[in-house]
Amino acid sequence: MYRFKVNGKDVQTERDIDLMKFLREELGLASVKNGCGEGACGACSVLIDGRLMKACVQKTSKMEGKSIDTLEGFTTLEKEIYAYAFDKSGAVQCGFCTPGMLVATKALLDVNPSPDRDACAQAIRGNICRCTGYVKIIDAMLLTAELLRKGEMPPHAPLAGVGRSVHKVDGRAKALGEPVYTDDVQLPGMLYGKALRTPAPRALIRAIDVSQAQSAPGIAAVILAEDIPGEVNCGHLVKDWPALIRVGETTRYVGDSLALVVGDTEEAVQAALKLIRVDYEELPPVTTPQAAMAQDAPLIHEKGNLLSTQKLKRGDAAAALAASKYVASYHFETPFTEHAFLEPECAVAYPTEDGVEVITSDQGVYDDRREIASLLAIEPERVRIKAAYVGGGFGGKEDMSVQHHAALIAWLLKKPVKVRLSRAESILVHPKRHPMYMDFQLGCDETGRLTGLVARIISDTGAYASLGGPVLQRACTHAAGPYNYQNVDIEGRAYYTNNVPCGAFRGFGVTQSIFALECCLNDLARQTGLDGWEIRRRNALEPGDIMPNGQIADESTAYREALEALKEDFYRYDGDENYHVGIASALKNAGLGVGVPDTGRCLAKVEHGRVSLGSSASDMGQGIHTVIKQIFCETTGLPQELVTVGKPDTYLTPNAGTTTASRQTVFTGEASRRAALEFKAALAEAGSLEQLEGRTFLGEYSFASDPMGSDKPNPVSHVAYGYAAQLVILDREGKVVKVISAHDMGRAIHPKGVEGQIEGGVVMGLGFALTEDFKTVNAVPQVKFGTLGLLRSTQIPEIVPILIEKNPHELSYGSKGIGEITVIPSAPACQNAYFKKDGRFRTTLPLEDTYYRKSK
C-alpha cells in the first residue's frame, strides 16, 4: 500500500502505476493532461513536495509520504487570478498545455514573486506549447505575478464586438483544466480498444491468429476486417485507406491496423495484443517518390503510384526565361514534419437505440459522420458526432485515426468504448507535412522585374491519399508568390510511397513552394545588385494587378503595405554589422477555392432569454467560437453575457465544413453575421427578446470559385488572399534574436488572438526552418516527441507582429483569415539571413550548418 497526499488530502493505492494515470483515472483530476507519456511536453506537470515534476514519468510507488499538488488544489483566489491572466493575455489557444503552464508558473512564483521575462522562460522550458509561440504565456505569467502581489482581481470590464480582444468563450475552462477534452470523458462500463499495427511498412499478411488474445483475461472481443459491416476503406476525398487490413492484403505503412482488441482495461488490452500471431512476408518498402515513379516500382495501390498531377500555365515561361537578364535555378528539398499537437488522438463511442454516438476532438464532425456511416453501412443520420475541445490540430486531425475504430467497436459490441493513441502511436499513424522535391527557375530583367517562372514539384504523399491532391494544388497555385507577373509554367506530381501518409498541415503545401520561390527571389536580388526589400517592392502585387494564377487582386490587397511596414527595420538591421537580416514574403488563400463547393453556416437560437450560437466549425485554439460570438454581438448590439456558443454536434449544429484552409473566420464568420442580421430584424419587429423565445435563425454563406484550368481570362481561384512580409534577424553567432512579421489579414476580429496566431506561426516556421527533423529509415519513423526538435521557451526570439488592416468589404467584417499564412515566410527568411552571414546558399530544410544544428 502506497500512502501520500494529493491536494492536501490523504490517498492510498495498492497499484504501482504511472502517477499521471492514478491522478487522472482514479482521482478524476482532469487538469493533469496526457500529452506525451515520456516526460517531454509538460502537460502533466504537478508539484511534488513543491518541486515541478512530470507526472507521466513518476510511479505511485515512489510517492510514499510525499505531497502532490495539481491545479485543482490551487486556492480559489489563485484559480481566479491565473485563469483571468492567461485568458486576458491571449495565452490560451487550444488550451491543452495551459494547466501544465499554470503549475509551472506557480512553481516559479512561489519562490520568485517578481520574475522577469527570462525567469519566466526558464520556468516553462520543460513545457511545450505548439500554438502560442510562448510570447503570450510569458505575458500571462507576468500579469499573474502582478495580480498575486496585489492580492486581488481587477474589476471585470466586459467587452464585446469586432476589433476587441475579448475574453475567449472557452478561455477559463481551458485554463483551469476542466474536463473538456475527449480523454477526460469517463463512462460507466466503458471498454478500451486498441489496434494491432503491421509488423513492417510493406508486408503481405498471410494469416492472423487471434485465438489466444480472444481468450485472454479481461478481453471482450478481437475485431478483424471481415467484421466490418460496410465499406472498409476510408478517405475524405479518395477512399483508399483501410480501417483494417484483410488477410491476403499487403500493408502500406507502419500505422496500418490489422485487428482491434477490446477489453476492460488498457493493461488487459496491451497484454492481449502481444498474444496475436501474424504470419507475414516482409517486402521491400518504396521509400521515395523517385523510387515510386520507376517503371519497375511495386504498386502501392492498384491504380498506380501517381496520385495527382497539377498544372498551372499562363503565358510563355520558357521564352520569358530565355530572354531574361538574370535567372535563379535551384533544386530544393523539404522534409516530413510532425504536427506535434499536444493532445494525442482520442475518441469515445457508445451505442444508441438505432445508431452510435461518438465524442471526438478533430477538425470536422460532419466528415466523421460521413466516414463512420460508410464504415457501418448505416444512414448518416444514425451517427451522431459530438465535439470535445480540440487540443491542437494544424491539419493533423482531419483524417480518421481513432474515431472510426471507436464507432465500429461500439456498434458491434453495443457498449461504450474509448480508443486513444499513445504519443508513439500518434507519431506513427496520422499524416504529416508532405516532403517535396522542387526544381525552380525564376527570371527577371535588368531592373529586377520578374519575367517568368518554371517550376517542377514532386510530392511524397505517403501510403494514402489523405489530402495529397489539394495540398499539391495549393503548392502549385501559390508557387509564383505575391508578385505581378504572368509567365508561369508550374507542374506538380504527388506519388504514393510506403512512408507515413501526408496530408493537411498548416500552410498546406504553400510552406514548401514559397520556400523555393522566395529563396530564388533573394538570389535574383543578389544578381541584380538590389536588396531583398527593393526587389519585392518593384514586383509587389497591388489592387487591380493580375496575379500569376490569373485572378485580379482586389481592393483589399495590402502586400505593399506589409512591405512598407518592414522598410525601416530592414535597412536598419541590414546596415548594422552586428546583425544579418533575412527577408521573405508569402500569400495564402482563404477558403477551399478552385471550384470546390464551400459553405459556412451558423445557427442562432433564442432560449431562456438568451441567444445560443451553434456551428460545426471546430475550434482548435484559433478562436472561431469566440469570433462568431463577437460578430453576432457587433451586428445585433446584444451584450456578450446574453450570447453563448455551443460545441459542434451533428444533431444540433449546422454543417459549416471542415476547419481547414483558413476558411472558418471568413465563411462561418459571415454566416454568423447573416444570422445576426435576421435576428436583429426579428427583434426590432417583436420588440423584446422574450417574444422570440424558441425561434431560430440560420445564417449561410457560400462562395463559387473557378476550377484550375478554367478558360476564363481572369478566373477567381479563391474568395480572398492574405499577404505577409517577414524579417528574421540573426546576431553575429547566427542565433535568431528577432522576427518582425507584418500580415495583411483584412480585419482583426480579435487583435490579441491574431497576434497569438502570428507568434505561434512564426515559432512553428522557425522550427520547420532550423530544428525539426522527422527522420525515417526504410519508411519507419525514428523519432519520439522529445526528439522532434520542437522549439522551447528559452529558444524563442523577440517576435513583433504587425497587423495590416485594409479591407472595406462587409464580408465577415473584412477578415481574410490568418491561421495558415503565419508559418510560411520564416524558412526562406532564415535561409536568406544565413546566406548573408556565411555566403552559403542552402536549399534543404532544416537548414544545414546553422547555430541551431551545431548546438544540437
Side-chain angles (χ1 to χ4, degrees):
M1 187 72 69
Y2 311 113
R3 297 177 175 84
F4 46 93
K5 290 182 180 292
V6 176
N7 295 327
K9 297 180 180 179
D10 292 324
V11 299
Q12 62 184 32
T13 180
E14 295 180 348
R15 302 178 67 198
D16 185 16
I17 59 175
D18 290 342
L19 178 61
M20 177 182 68
K21 185 177 181 68
F22 175 77
L23 295 173
R24 283 186 57 79
E25 298 183 11
E26 297 199 16
L27 299 188
L29 299 174
S31 76
V32 185
K33 301 301 183 188
N34 183 358
C36 70
E38 59 186 58
C41 78
C44 65
S45 293
V46 297
L47 300 177
I48 301 178
D49 289 341
R51 294 180 57 206
L52 181 67
M53 303 189 79
K54 316 289 178 59
C56 68
V57 291
Q58 304 294 325
K59 292 288 187 180
T60 51
S61 60
K62 301 296 184 181
M63 295 298 106
E64 182 69 33
K66 296 184 183 296
S67 179
I68 299 155
D69 292 292
T70 72
L71 178 54
E72 286 86 351
F74 283 26
T75 67
T76 300
L77 180 61
E78 283 178 327
K79 288 180 180 178
E80 292 300 318
I81 287 176
Y82 276 84
Y84 171 87
F86 272 71
D87 188 16
K88 173 75 173 175
S89 301
V92 183
Q93 288 193 29
C94 88
F96 199 81
C97 76
T98 311
M101 293 290 182
L102 266 64
V103 173
T105 302
K106 180 173 173 58
L108 169 66
L109 299 184
D110 282 352
V111 298
N112 180 3
S114 299
D116 59 16
R117 294 194 75 87
D118 287 342
C120 290
Q122 284 290 332
I124 58 171
R125 67 188 183 278
N127 295 61
I128 290 286
C129 177
R130 192 62 160 163
C131 295
T132 67
Y134 304 102
V135 176
K136 288 186 170 25
I137 291 176
I138 293 174
D139 292 344
M141 296 170 75
L142 295 172
L143 179 57
T144 299
E146 177 188 340
L147 295 175
L148 286 173
R149 289 195 301 271
K150 294 178 179 178
E152 59 183 22
M153 285 285 294
H156 183 59
L159 299 174
V162 166
R164 297 186 176 191
S165 298
V166 305
H167 286 280
K168 287 192 170 182
V169 298
D170 50 12
R172 176 184 168 82
K174 287 179 174 178
L176 295 179
E178 294 177 1
V180 292
Y181 299 90
T182 307
D183 195 24
D184 299 331
V185 175
Q186 300 290 332
L187 298 177
M190 187 172 72
L191 300 173
Y192 294 86
K194 191 168 282 292
L196 176 71
R197 306 291 171 182
T198 175
R202 184 166 172 259
L204 173 61
I205 305 301
R206 300 188 184 280
I208 304 175
D209 182 357
V210 301
S211 57
Q212 291 185 59
Q214 285 176 320
S215 60
I219 296 305
V222 178
I223 296 170
L224 298 171
E226 53 261 35
D227 299 316
I228 294 174
E231 171 62 50
V232 172
N233 282 358
C234 299
H236 291 326
L237 299 179
V238 181
K239 294 180 76 67
D240 63 357
W241 196 334
L244 292 168
I245 298 289
R246 294 185 177 93
V247 170
E249 294 181 335
T250 299
T251 64
R252 298 181 179 90
Y253 89 114
V254 290
D256 271 335
S257 303
L258 306 184
L260 298 175
V261 177
V262 190
D264 298 334
T265 65
E266 285 188 299
E267 292 82 359
V269 170
Q270 291 282 14
L273 283 168
K274 298 175 182 177
L275 299 177
I276 298 177
R277 299 290 175 258
V278 180
D279 180 11
Y280 67 97
E281 177 187 352
E282 186 170 353
L283 303 171
V286 178
T287 60
T288 67
Q290 290 79 8
M293 53 175 99
Q295 285 202 344
D296 59 349
L299 291 183
I300 295 166
H301 292 273
E302 290 182 1
K303 294 183 178 179
N305 292 341
L306 178 63
L307 167 67
S308 177
T309 299
Q310 301 292 333
K311 296 181 181 181
L312 176 62
K313 190 169 183 177
R314 290 178 63 85
D316 191 338
L321 288 180
S324 297
K325 175 69 173 178
Y326 303 103
V327 175
S329 180
Y330 291 97
H331 175 78
F332 298 92
E333 296 184 10
T334 60
F336 293 101
T337 316
E338 162 67 29
H339 296 76
F341 34 72
L342 264 287
E343 176 205 29
E345 297 89 336
C346 182
V348 172
Y350 42 92
T352 60
E353 185 175 339
D354 68 341
V356 65
E357 293 189 5
V358 183
I359 302 171
T360 185
S361 303
D362 58 29
Q363 296 181 223
V365 292
Y366 279 88
D367 294 333
D368 290 354
R369 186 180 78 160
R370 184 182 64 252
E371 297 267 35
I372 289 169
S374 173
L375 188 76
L376 303 184
I378 61 177
E379 296 80 8
E381 294 72 24
R382 294 167 63 187
V383 178
R384 181 179 186 180
I385 310 294
K386 299 193 291 186
Y389 289 138
V390 184
F394 315 112
K397 292 179 178 175
E398 291 194 32
D399 299 87
M400 293 294 100
S401 58
V402 291
Q403 314 94 300
H404 57 328
H405 286 165
L408 177 64
I409 293 168
W411 175 256
L412 293 177
L413 301 189
K414 305 304 179 187
K415 291 183 178 180
V417 64
K418 176 182 287 186
V419 181
R420 61 185 173 193
L421 299 185
S422 67
R423 179 58 66 176
E425 287 178 297
S426 176
I427 287 174
L428 290 181
V429 170
H430 76 257
K432 317 301 176 192
R433 190 191 301 279
H434 291 79
M436 290 192 184
Y437 305 80
M438 300 171 288
D439 291 289
F440 271 56
Q441 292 177 283
L442 181 67
C444 70
D445 64 19
E446 63 277 0
T447 70
R449 293 299 302 266
L450 294 175
T451 52
L453 170 70
V454 173
R456 297 293 181 264
I457 300 172
I458 300 297
S459 173
D460 182 348
T461 205
Y464 298 107
S466 182
L467 292 172
V471 168
L472 179 66
Q473 199 173 60
R474 289 300 79 69
C476 292
T477 57
H478 290 60
Y483 306 113
N484 182 10
Y485 66 112
Q486 284 80 50
N487 293 306
V488 296
D489 182 355
I490 303 164
E491 181 176 324
R493 289 176 288 161
Y495 287 90
Y496 288 113
T497 67
N498 290 120
N499 289 316
V500 176
C502 296
F505 199 132
R506 192 180 200 177
F508 211 78
V510 185
T511 322
Q512 297 94 310
S513 60
I514 284 290
F515 170 67
L517 187 281
E518 289 290 303
C519 288
C520 286
L521 184 59
N522 282 325
D523 185 61
L524 288 181
R526 176 192 62 82
Q527 292 186 54
T528 58
L530 298 172
D531 59 60
W533 187 89
E534 177 58 26
I535 199 169
R536 286 171 172 78
R537 184 198 66 81
R538 295 189 183 191
N539 292 283
L541 275 172
E542 297 193 54
D545 287 345
I546 299 175
M547 302 172 68
N549 65 10
Q551 182 164 334
I552 298 174
D554 69 14
E555 59 188 326
S556 75
T557 301
Y559 172 50
R560 181 180 287 273
E561 287 83 347
L563 272 178
E564 292 290 344
L566 301 184
K567 183 177 181 179
E568 182 178 345
D569 285 306
F570 177 83
Y571 287 110
R572 177 160 64 90
Y573 285 104
D574 200 41
D576 190 328
E577 63 181 13
N578 294 309
Y579 298 100
H580 308 282
V581 59
I583 186 169
S585 299
L587 79 165
K588 184 66 176 69
N589 61 285
L592 303 177
V594 292
V596 178
D598 204 358
T599 300
R601 296 182 180 90
C602 184
L603 187 72
K605 183 176 182 179
V606 183
E607 47 190 359
H608 311 300
R610 302 164 65 88
V611 178
S612 175
L613 300 179
S615 170
S616 75
S618 294
D619 194 325
M620 305 178 292
Q622 84 281 27
I624 183 60
H625 293 168
T626 302
V627 163
I628 63 175
K629 178 176 177 177
Q630 286 182 268
I631 289 175
F632 191 87
C633 290
E634 176 77 16
T635 308
T636 62
L638 281 183
Q640 66 168 3
E641 55 267 25
L642 290 183
V643 181
T644 60
V645 183
K647 295 177 184 176
D649 183 329
T650 55
Y651 273 25
L652 302 177
T653 58
N655 188 355
T658 313
T659 298
T660 189
S662 289
R663 59 178 295 278
Q664 288 295 2
T665 298
V666 177
F667 282 79
T668 302
E670 174 63 11
S672 173
R673 191 182 73 89
R674 295 186 178 195
L677 289 171
E678 289 194 18
F679 167 85
K680 185 177 181 179
L683 181 62
E685 183 178 339
S688 71
L689 196 59
E690 290 73 21
Q691 295 300 314
L692 297 179
E693 183 69 24
R695 288 189 59 180
T696 61
F697 304 88
L698 176 65
E700 183 172 303
Y701 171 69
S702 298
F703 181 78
S705 54
D706 296 315
M708 280 188 73
S710 169
D711 57 5
K712 292 182 179 180
N714 297 112
V716 178
S717 181
H718 290 93
V719 63
Y721 285 91
Y723 298 88
Q726 187 174 112
L727 303 181
V728 167
I729 297 105
L730 307 179
D731 65 14
R732 297 183 72 172
E733 289 185 305
K735 181 181 180 181
V736 180
V737 293
K738 190 172 186 177
V739 177
I740 306 172
S741 201
H743 285 266
D744 156 37
M745 85 301 293
R747 178 83 182 276
I749 304 296
H750 190 290
K752 200 172 289 291
V754 171
E755 291 175 359
Q757 289 288 296
I758 294 171
E759 291 157 356
V762 164
V763 171
M764 187 177 282
L766 292 176
F768 182 53
L770 299 168
T771 60
E772 295 183 34
D773 198 1
F774 190 95
K775 290 187 178 298
T776 63
V777 174
N778 292 325
V780 180
Q782 304 294 304
V783 295
K784 298 189 297 183
F785 193 83
T787 64
L788 287 169
L790 306 177
L791 290 169
R792 294 182 178 269
S793 55
T794 50
Q795 298 172 291
I796 302 309
E798 178 187 359
I799 302 173
V800 181
I802 300 174
L803 280 54
I804 308 295
E805 297 185 89
K806 175 196 164 185
N807 190 0
H809 298 164
E810 67 178 10
L811 179 68
S812 195
Y813 284 99
S815 177
K816 299 195 292 186
I818 190 66
E820 293 198 86
I821 193 173
T822 58
V823 78
I824 297 171
S826 298
C830 284
Q831 190 266 10
N832 185 226
Y834 269 101
F835 175 72
K836 290 182 179 178
K837 179 182 182 298
D838 60 21
R840 286 188 56 195
F841 193 86
R842 296 163 174 85
T843 58
T844 61
L845 295 178
L847 299 174
E848 299 171 348
D849 194 29
T850 66
Y851 170 90
Y852 298 87
R853 306 295 284 172
K854 290 175 181 176
S855 300
K856 185 177 179 182

